[in-house]
PDB file of all heavy atoms in Angstrom:
ATOM      1  N   SER A   1     105.225 106.964  83.150  1.00 93.00           N
ATOM      2  CA  SER A   1     105.008 105.629  82.738  1.00 93.00           C
ATOM      3  C   SER A   1     103.897 104.870  83.506  1.00 93.00           C
ATOM      4  O   SER A   1     102.975 104.383  83.007  1.00 93.00           O
ATOM      5  CB  SER A   1     106.333 104.810  82.750  1.00 93.00           C
ATOM      6  OG  SER A   1     106.163 103.446  82.526  1.00 93.00           O
ATOM      7  N   GLU A   2     104.125 104.843  84.897  1.00 93.00           N
ATOM      8  CA  GLU A   2     103.140 104.206  85.684  1.00 93.00           C
ATOM      9  C   GLU A   2     101.764 104.809  85.652  1.00 93.00           C
ATOM     10  O   GLU A   2     100.759 104.143  85.464  1.00 93.00           O
ATOM     11  CB  GLU A   2     103.613 104.120  87.173  1.00 93.00           C
ATOM     12  CG  GLU A   2     102.698 103.376  88.053  1.00 93.00           C
ATOM     13  CD  GLU A   2     103.086 103.274  89.569  1.00 93.00           C
ATOM     14  OE1 GLU A   2     104.215 103.612  89.740  1.00 93.00           O
ATOM     15  OE2 GLU A   2     102.263 102.861  90.341  1.00 93.00           O
ATOM     16  N   LEU A   3     101.654 106.180  85.655  1.00 95.00           N
ATOM     17  CA  LEU A   3     100.303 106.786  85.642  1.00 95.00           C
ATOM     18  C   LEU A   3      99.660 106.446  84.239  1.00 95.00           C
ATOM     19  O   LEU A   3      98.447 106.098  84.163  1.00 95.00           O
ATOM     20  CB  LEU A   3     100.534 108.290  85.843  1.00 95.00           C
ATOM     21  CG  LEU A   3      99.189 109.108  85.890  1.00 95.00           C
ATOM     22  CD1 LEU A   3      98.254 108.518  86.878  1.00 95.00           C
ATOM     23  CD2 LEU A   3      99.562 110.485  86.366  1.00 95.00           C
ATOM     24  N   TYR A   4     100.414 106.573  83.176  1.00 95.00           N
ATOM     25  CA  TYR A   4      99.901 106.391  81.733  1.00 95.00           C
ATOM     26  C   TYR A   4      99.276 104.882  81.691  1.00 95.00           C
ATOM     27  O   TYR A   4      98.270 104.723  81.204  1.00 95.00           O
ATOM     28  CB  TYR A   4     101.013 106.507  80.792  1.00 95.00           C
ATOM     29  CG  TYR A   4     100.532 106.477  79.353  1.00 95.00           C
ATOM     30  CD1 TYR A   4     100.162 107.567  78.695  1.00 95.00           C
ATOM     31  CD2 TYR A   4     100.592 105.194  78.620  1.00 95.00           C
ATOM     32  CE1 TYR A   4      99.735 107.506  77.393  1.00 95.00           C
ATOM     33  CE2 TYR A   4     100.161 105.194  77.332  1.00 95.00           C
ATOM     34  CZ  TYR A   4      99.737 106.347  76.680  1.00 95.00           C
ATOM     35  OH  TYR A   4      99.390 106.175  75.389  1.00 95.00           O
ATOM     36  N   ARG A   5     100.091 103.970  82.293  1.00 93.00           N
ATOM     37  CA  ARG A   5      99.659 102.565  82.154  1.00 93.00           C
ATOM     38  C   ARG A   5      98.378 102.254  82.946  1.00 93.00           C
ATOM     39  O   ARG A   5      97.582 101.441  82.679  1.00 93.00           O
ATOM     40  CB  ARG A   5     100.718 101.639  82.436  1.00 93.00           C
ATOM     41  CG  ARG A   5     101.865 101.810  81.397  1.00 93.00           C
ATOM     42  CD  ARG A   5     102.816 100.757  81.156  1.00 93.00           C
ATOM     43  NE  ARG A   5     102.129  99.485  80.773  1.00 93.00           N
ATOM     44  CZ  ARG A   5     102.961  98.535  80.460  1.00 93.00           C
ATOM     45  NH1 ARG A   5     104.176  98.626  80.160  1.00 93.00           N
ATOM     46  NH2 ARG A   5     102.255  97.334  80.217  1.00 93.00           N
ATOM     47  N   ARG A   6      98.257 102.993  84.078  1.00 93.00           N
ATOM     48  CA  ARG A   6      97.067 102.786  84.983  1.00 93.00           C
ATOM     49  C   ARG A   6      95.875 103.490  84.207  1.00 93.00           C
ATOM     50  O   ARG A   6      94.751 103.056  84.573  1.00 93.00           O
ATOM     51  CB  ARG A   6      97.381 103.519  86.347  1.00 93.00           C
ATOM     52  CG  ARG A   6      98.303 102.622  87.114  1.00 93.00           C
ATOM     53  CD  ARG A   6      98.480 103.268  88.554  1.00 93.00           C
ATOM     54  NE  ARG A   6      99.413 102.560  89.441  1.00 93.00           N
ATOM     55  CZ  ARG A   6      98.989 101.643  90.324  1.00 93.00           C
ATOM     56  NH1 ARG A   6      97.717 101.399  90.430  1.00 93.00           N
ATOM     57  NH2 ARG A   6      99.885 100.970  91.033  1.00 93.00           N
ATOM     58  N   LEU A   7      96.028 104.467  83.481  1.00 95.00           N
ATOM     59  CA  LEU A   7      94.885 105.160  82.780  1.00 95.00           C
ATOM     60  C   LEU A   7      94.551 104.491  81.489  1.00 95.00           C
ATOM     61  O   LEU A   7      93.491 104.884  80.936  1.00 95.00           O
ATOM     62  CB  LEU A   7      95.284 106.607  82.577  1.00 95.00           C
ATOM     63  CG  LEU A   7      95.493 107.522  83.829  1.00 95.00           C
ATOM     64  CD1 LEU A   7      96.080 108.858  83.431  1.00 95.00           C
ATOM     65  CD2 LEU A   7      94.178 107.660  84.661  1.00 95.00           C
ATOM     66  N   LEU A   8      95.527 103.701  80.937  1.00 95.00           N
ATOM     67  CA  LEU A   8      95.315 103.369  79.415  1.00 95.00           C
ATOM     68  C   LEU A   8      94.127 102.607  79.170  1.00 95.00           C
ATOM     69  O   LEU A   8      93.279 102.932  78.134  1.00 95.00           O
ATOM     70  CB  LEU A   8      96.460 102.559  79.074  1.00 95.00           C
ATOM     71  CG  LEU A   8      96.574 102.103  77.634  1.00 95.00           C
ATOM     72  CD1 LEU A   8      96.724 103.456  76.805  1.00 95.00           C
ATOM     73  CD2 LEU A   8      97.906 101.262  77.292  1.00 95.00           C
ATOM     74  N   VAL A   9      93.733 101.617  79.845  1.00 93.00           N
ATOM     75  CA  VAL A   9      92.516 100.763  79.528  1.00 93.00           C
ATOM     76  C   VAL A   9      91.212 101.583  79.545  1.00 93.00           C
ATOM     77  O   VAL A   9      90.363 101.586  78.597  1.00 93.00           O
ATOM     78  CB  VAL A   9      92.427  99.543  80.405  1.00 93.00           C
ATOM     79  CG1 VAL A   9      91.173  98.761  80.185  1.00 93.00           C
ATOM     80  CG2 VAL A   9      93.607  98.613  80.265  1.00 93.00           C
ATOM     81  N   ALA A  10      91.029 102.263  80.546  1.00 95.00           N
ATOM     82  CA  ALA A  10      89.758 103.121  80.633  1.00 95.00           C
ATOM     83  C   ALA A  10      89.707 104.235  79.623  1.00 95.00           C
ATOM     84  O   ALA A  10      88.665 104.439  79.025  1.00 95.00           O
ATOM     85  CB  ALA A  10      89.721 103.810  82.125  1.00 95.00           C
ATOM     86  N   SER A  11      90.917 104.826  79.368  1.00 96.00           N
ATOM     87  CA  SER A  11      90.927 105.923  78.414  1.00 96.00           C
ATOM     88  C   SER A  11      90.694 105.423  77.009  1.00 96.00           C
ATOM     89  O   SER A  11      90.105 105.964  76.148  1.00 96.00           O
ATOM     90  CB  SER A  11      92.283 106.671  78.460  1.00 96.00           C
ATOM     91  OG  SER A  11      93.365 105.869  78.108  1.00 96.00           O
ATOM     92  N   GLU A  12      91.089 104.145  76.675  1.00 96.00           N
ATOM     93  CA  GLU A  12      90.927 103.586  75.407  1.00 96.00           C
ATOM     94  C   GLU A  12      89.383 103.110  75.221  1.00 96.00           C
ATOM     95  O   GLU A  12      88.902 103.256  74.095  1.00 96.00           O
ATOM     96  CB  GLU A  12      91.709 102.301  75.199  1.00 96.00           C
ATOM     97  CG  GLU A  12      93.163 102.592  74.837  1.00 96.00           C
ATOM     98  CD  GLU A  12      93.353 103.381  73.575  1.00 96.00           C
ATOM     99  OE1 GLU A  12      92.871 102.799  72.516  1.00 96.00           O
ATOM    100  OE2 GLU A  12      93.982 104.426  73.567  1.00 96.00           O
ATOM    101  N   ARG A  13      88.740 102.754  76.278  1.00 96.00           N
ATOM    102  CA  ARG A  13      87.266 102.562  76.227  1.00 96.00           C
ATOM    103  C   ARG A  13      86.538 103.977  75.845  1.00 96.00           C
ATOM    104  O   ARG A  13      85.561 103.904  75.068  1.00 96.00           O
ATOM    105  CB  ARG A  13      86.711 102.064  77.640  1.00 96.00           C
ATOM    106  CG  ARG A  13      87.070 100.595  77.854  1.00 96.00           C
ATOM    107  CD  ARG A  13      86.074 100.070  78.988  1.00 96.00           C
ATOM    108  NE  ARG A  13      86.275 100.868  80.154  1.00 96.00           N
ATOM    109  CZ  ARG A  13      87.021 100.453  81.182  1.00 96.00           C
ATOM    110  NH1 ARG A  13      87.699  99.309  81.081  1.00 96.00           N
ATOM    111  NH2 ARG A  13      87.070 101.131  82.254  1.00 96.00           N
ATOM    112  N   HIS A  14      87.046 105.015  76.345  1.00 97.00           N
ATOM    113  CA  HIS A  14      86.416 106.274  76.051  1.00 97.00           C
ATOM    114  C   HIS A  14      86.630 106.624  74.462  1.00 97.00           C
ATOM    115  O   HIS A  14      85.703 107.050  73.827  1.00 97.00           O
ATOM    116  CB  HIS A  14      86.947 107.397  76.850  1.00 97.00           C
ATOM    117  CG  HIS A  14      86.322 108.703  76.596  1.00 97.00           C
ATOM    118  ND1 HIS A  14      85.052 109.087  76.892  1.00 97.00           N
ATOM    119  CD2 HIS A  14      86.926 109.903  76.103  1.00 97.00           C
ATOM    120  CE1 HIS A  14      84.810 110.224  76.488  1.00 97.00           C
ATOM    121  NE2 HIS A  14      85.869 110.823  76.016  1.00 97.00           N
ATOM    122  N   LEU A  15      87.857 106.224  74.049  1.00 97.00           N
ATOM    123  CA  LEU A  15      88.115 106.590  72.596  1.00 97.00           C
ATOM    124  C   LEU A  15      87.280 105.628  71.731  1.00 97.00           C
ATOM    125  O   LEU A  15      86.862 106.086  70.628  1.00 97.00           O
ATOM    126  CB  LEU A  15      89.531 106.317  72.278  1.00 97.00           C
ATOM    127  CG  LEU A  15      90.519 107.415  72.898  1.00 97.00           C
ATOM    128  CD1 LEU A  15      91.980 106.973  72.707  1.00 97.00           C
ATOM    129  CD2 LEU A  15      90.242 108.753  72.083  1.00 97.00           C
ATOM    130  N   ASP A  16      87.165 104.328  72.176  1.00 96.00           N
ATOM    131  CA  ASP A  16      86.229 103.453  71.452  1.00 96.00           C
ATOM    132  C   ASP A  16      84.787 104.070  71.228  1.00 96.00           C
ATOM    133  O   ASP A  16      84.078 103.735  70.288  1.00 96.00           O
ATOM    134  CB  ASP A  16      86.170 102.102  72.157  1.00 96.00           C
ATOM    135  CG  ASP A  16      87.479 101.365  71.954  1.00 96.00           C
ATOM    136  OD1 ASP A  16      88.158 101.535  71.010  1.00 96.00           O
ATOM    137  OD2 ASP A  16      87.708 100.344  72.832  1.00 96.00           O
ATOM    138  N   ALA A  17      84.377 104.751  72.282  1.00 95.00           N
ATOM    139  CA  ALA A  17      83.066 105.277  72.249  1.00 95.00           C
ATOM    140  C   ALA A  17      82.873 106.541  71.561  1.00 95.00           C
ATOM    141  O   ALA A  17      81.766 106.930  71.079  1.00 95.00           O
ATOM    142  CB  ALA A  17      82.462 105.434  73.761  1.00 95.00           C
ATOM    143  N   CYS A  18      83.966 107.351  71.416  1.00 94.00           N
ATOM    144  CA  CYS A  18      83.812 108.779  70.965  1.00 94.00           C
ATOM    145  C   CYS A  18      84.642 109.108  69.744  1.00 94.00           C
ATOM    146  O   CYS A  18      84.411 110.116  69.102  1.00 94.00           O
ATOM    147  CB  CYS A  18      84.244 109.726  72.127  1.00 94.00           C
ATOM    148  SG  CYS A  18      83.170 109.613  73.542  1.00 94.00           S
ATOM    149  N   LEU A  19      85.610 108.318  69.425  1.00 95.00           N
ATOM    150  CA  LEU A  19      86.449 108.579  68.296  1.00 95.00           C
ATOM    151  C   LEU A  19      86.015 107.975  66.998  1.00 95.00           C
ATOM    152  O   LEU A  19      85.971 106.754  66.967  1.00 95.00           O
ATOM    153  CB  LEU A  19      87.984 108.238  68.540  1.00 95.00           C
ATOM    154  CG  LEU A  19      88.995 108.855  67.541  1.00 95.00           C
ATOM    155  CD1 LEU A  19      90.270 109.122  68.258  1.00 95.00           C
ATOM    156  CD2 LEU A  19      89.286 107.979  66.424  1.00 95.00           C
ATOM    157  N   GLN A  20      85.595 108.792  65.990  1.00 94.00           N
ATOM    158  CA  GLN A  20      85.037 108.228  64.762  1.00 94.00           C
ATOM    159  C   GLN A  20      85.723 108.885  63.577  1.00 94.00           C
ATOM    160  O   GLN A  20      86.396 109.971  63.763  1.00 94.00           O
ATOM    161  CB  GLN A  20      83.548 108.489  64.658  1.00 94.00           C
ATOM    162  CG  GLN A  20      82.677 107.843  65.575  1.00 94.00           C
ATOM    163  CD  GLN A  20      81.244 108.159  65.384  1.00 94.00           C
ATOM    164  OE1 GLN A  20      80.894 108.703  64.318  1.00 94.00           O
ATOM    165  NE2 GLN A  20      80.403 107.693  66.225  1.00 94.00           N
ATOM    166  N   LEU A  21      85.668 108.209  62.462  1.00 95.00           N
ATOM    167  CA  LEU A  21      86.117 108.870  61.123  1.00 95.00           C
ATOM    168  C   LEU A  21      84.770 109.508  60.546  1.00 95.00           C
ATOM    169  O   LEU A  21      83.733 109.347  60.996  1.00 95.00           O
ATOM    170  CB  LEU A  21      86.653 107.860  60.230  1.00 95.00           C
ATOM    171  CG  LEU A  21      87.851 107.092  60.754  1.00 95.00           C
ATOM    172  CD1 LEU A  21      88.366 106.174  59.659  1.00 95.00           C
ATOM    173  CD2 LEU A  21      88.929 108.033  61.238  1.00 95.00           C
ATOM    174  N   ALA A  22      84.991 110.340  59.451  1.00 94.00           N
ATOM    175  CA  ALA A  22      83.929 111.028  58.910  1.00 94.00           C
ATOM    176  C   ALA A  22      82.811 110.016  58.376  1.00 94.00           C
ATOM    177  O   ALA A  22      81.706 110.460  58.307  1.00 94.00           O
ATOM    178  CB  ALA A  22      84.438 111.882  57.761  1.00 94.00           C
ATOM    179  N   ASP A  23      83.191 108.821  57.912  1.00 93.00           N
ATOM    180  CA  ASP A  23      82.187 107.931  57.424  1.00 93.00           C
ATOM    181  C   ASP A  23      81.516 107.102  58.524  1.00 93.00           C
ATOM    182  O   ASP A  23      80.801 106.058  58.311  1.00 93.00           O
ATOM    183  CB  ASP A  23      82.864 106.917  56.391  1.00 93.00           C
ATOM    184  CG  ASP A  23      84.016 106.111  57.043  1.00 93.00           C
ATOM    185  OD1 ASP A  23      84.263 106.238  58.265  1.00 93.00           O
ATOM    186  OD2 ASP A  23      84.692 105.447  56.269  1.00 93.00           O
ATOM    187  N   GLY A  24      81.800 107.434  59.817  1.00 93.00           N
ATOM    188  CA  GLY A  24      81.176 106.749  60.877  1.00 93.00           C
ATOM    189  C   GLY A  24      81.906 105.531  61.430  1.00 93.00           C
ATOM    190  O   GLY A  24      81.590 105.024  62.565  1.00 93.00           O
ATOM    191  N   VAL A  25      82.927 105.137  60.755  1.00 93.00           N
ATOM    192  CA  VAL A  25      83.902 104.036  61.351  1.00 93.00           C
ATOM    193  C   VAL A  25      84.547 104.347  62.508  1.00 93.00           C
ATOM    194  O   VAL A  25      85.127 105.553  62.738  1.00 93.00           O
ATOM    195  CB  VAL A  25      84.796 103.515  60.142  1.00 93.00           C
ATOM    196  CG1 VAL A  25      85.732 102.604  60.721  1.00 93.00           C
ATOM    197  CG2 VAL A  25      84.013 102.990  59.032  1.00 93.00           C
ATOM    198  N   ILE A  26      84.607 103.371  63.468  1.00 94.00           N
ATOM    199  CA  ILE A  26      85.438 103.578  64.690  1.00 94.00           C
ATOM    200  C   ILE A  26      86.771 102.829  64.413  1.00 94.00           C
ATOM    201  O   ILE A  26      86.754 101.755  64.411  1.00 94.00           O
ATOM    202  CB  ILE A  26      84.768 102.979  65.915  1.00 94.00           C
ATOM    203  CG1 ILE A  26      83.380 103.717  66.185  1.00 94.00           C
ATOM    204  CG2 ILE A  26      85.600 103.157  67.082  1.00 94.00           C
ATOM    205  CD1 ILE A  26      82.532 103.134  67.253  1.00 94.00           C
ATOM    206  N   PRO A  27      87.835 103.582  64.311  1.00 94.00           N
ATOM    207  CA  PRO A  27      89.145 102.963  64.003  1.00 94.00           C
ATOM    208  C   PRO A  27      89.618 102.175  65.231  1.00 94.00           C
ATOM    209  O   PRO A  27      89.505 102.645  66.348  1.00 94.00           O
ATOM    210  CB  PRO A  27      90.073 104.002  63.645  1.00 94.00           C
ATOM    211  CG  PRO A  27      89.480 105.319  64.347  1.00 94.00           C
ATOM    212  CD  PRO A  27      87.989 105.034  64.369  1.00 94.00           C
ATOM    213  N   GLU A  28      90.158 101.015  64.957  1.00 94.00           N
ATOM    214  CA  GLU A  28      90.790 100.206  66.188  1.00 94.00           C
ATOM    215  C   GLU A  28      92.059 100.685  66.438  1.00 94.00           C
ATOM    216  O   GLU A  28      92.916 101.077  65.589  1.00 94.00           O
ATOM    217  CB  GLU A  28      90.793  98.777  65.733  1.00 94.00           C
ATOM    218  CG  GLU A  28      89.340  98.144  65.521  1.00 94.00           C
ATOM    219  CD  GLU A  28      89.367  96.651  65.214  1.00 94.00           C
ATOM    220  OE1 GLU A  28      90.496  96.077  65.287  1.00 94.00           O
ATOM    221  OE2 GLU A  28      88.312  96.018  65.097  1.00 94.00           O
ATOM    222  N   ALA A  29      92.459 100.489  67.646  1.00 93.00           N
ATOM    223  CA  ALA A  29      93.816 100.848  68.145  1.00 93.00           C
ATOM    224  C   ALA A  29      94.776  99.830  67.700  1.00 93.00           C
ATOM    225  O   ALA A  29      94.424  98.489  67.783  1.00 93.00           O
ATOM    226  CB  ALA A  29      93.877 101.036  69.726  1.00 93.00           C
ATOM    227  N   SER A  30      95.949 100.136  67.467  1.00 90.00           N
ATOM    228  CA  SER A  30      97.081  99.141  67.102  1.00 90.00           C
ATOM    229  C   SER A  30      97.426  98.372  68.344  1.00 90.00           C
ATOM    230  O   SER A  30      97.453  98.956  69.531  1.00 90.00           O
ATOM    231  CB  SER A  30      98.335  99.964  66.592  1.00 90.00           C
ATOM    232  OG  SER A  30      99.416  99.015  66.563  1.00 90.00           O
ATOM    233  N   VAL A  31      97.837  97.134  68.168  1.00 88.00           N
ATOM    234  CA  VAL A  31      98.290  96.341  69.426  1.00 88.00           C
ATOM    235  C   VAL A  31      99.614  96.880  69.946  1.00 88.00           C
ATOM    236  O   VAL A  31      99.939  96.728  71.100  1.00 88.00           O
ATOM    237  CB  VAL A  31      98.516  94.905  68.942  1.00 88.00           C
ATOM    238  CG1 VAL A  31      97.186  94.217  68.691  1.00 88.00           C
ATOM    239  CG2 VAL A  31      99.497  94.805  67.816  1.00 88.00           C
ATOM    240  N   ARG A  32     100.263  97.677  69.151  1.00 86.00           N
ATOM    241  CA  ARG A  32     101.537  98.306  69.574  1.00 86.00           C
ATOM    242  C   ARG A  32     101.352  99.418  70.674  1.00 86.00           C
ATOM    243  O   ARG A  32     102.234  99.689  71.362  1.00 86.00           O
ATOM    244  CB  ARG A  32     102.295  98.853  68.421  1.00 86.00           C
ATOM    245  CG  ARG A  32     102.797  97.838  67.344  1.00 86.00           C
ATOM    246  CD  ARG A  32     103.538  98.489  66.279  1.00 86.00           C
ATOM    247  NE  ARG A  32     104.809  99.012  66.827  1.00 86.00           N
ATOM    248  CZ  ARG A  32     105.697  99.678  66.035  1.00 86.00           C
ATOM    249  NH1 ARG A  32     105.528  99.944  64.838  1.00 86.00           N
ATOM    250  NH2 ARG A  32     106.671 100.254  66.638  1.00 86.00           N
ATOM    251  N   LEU A  33     100.073  99.863  70.827  1.00 89.00           N
ATOM    252  CA  LEU A  33      99.779 100.859  71.752  1.00 89.00           C
ATOM    253  C   LEU A  33     100.159 100.320  73.143  1.00 89.00           C
ATOM    254  O   LEU A  33     100.745 101.131  74.058  1.00 89.00           O
ATOM    255  CB  LEU A  33      98.287 101.153  71.742  1.00 89.00           C
ATOM    256  CG  LEU A  33      97.708 102.062  72.791  1.00 89.00           C
ATOM    257  CD1 LEU A  33      98.301 103.534  72.638  1.00 89.00           C
ATOM    258  CD2 LEU A  33      96.181 102.131  72.779  1.00 89.00           C
TER     259      LEU A  33
END
């Protein structure tokens, strides 16, 4: 739990930069994350 939460913000920035759909859209993360 603690390690995950310490890594979460930086890891989500990486997903914002690298995770795309086939049409080029970058899907947003749910607030429930």
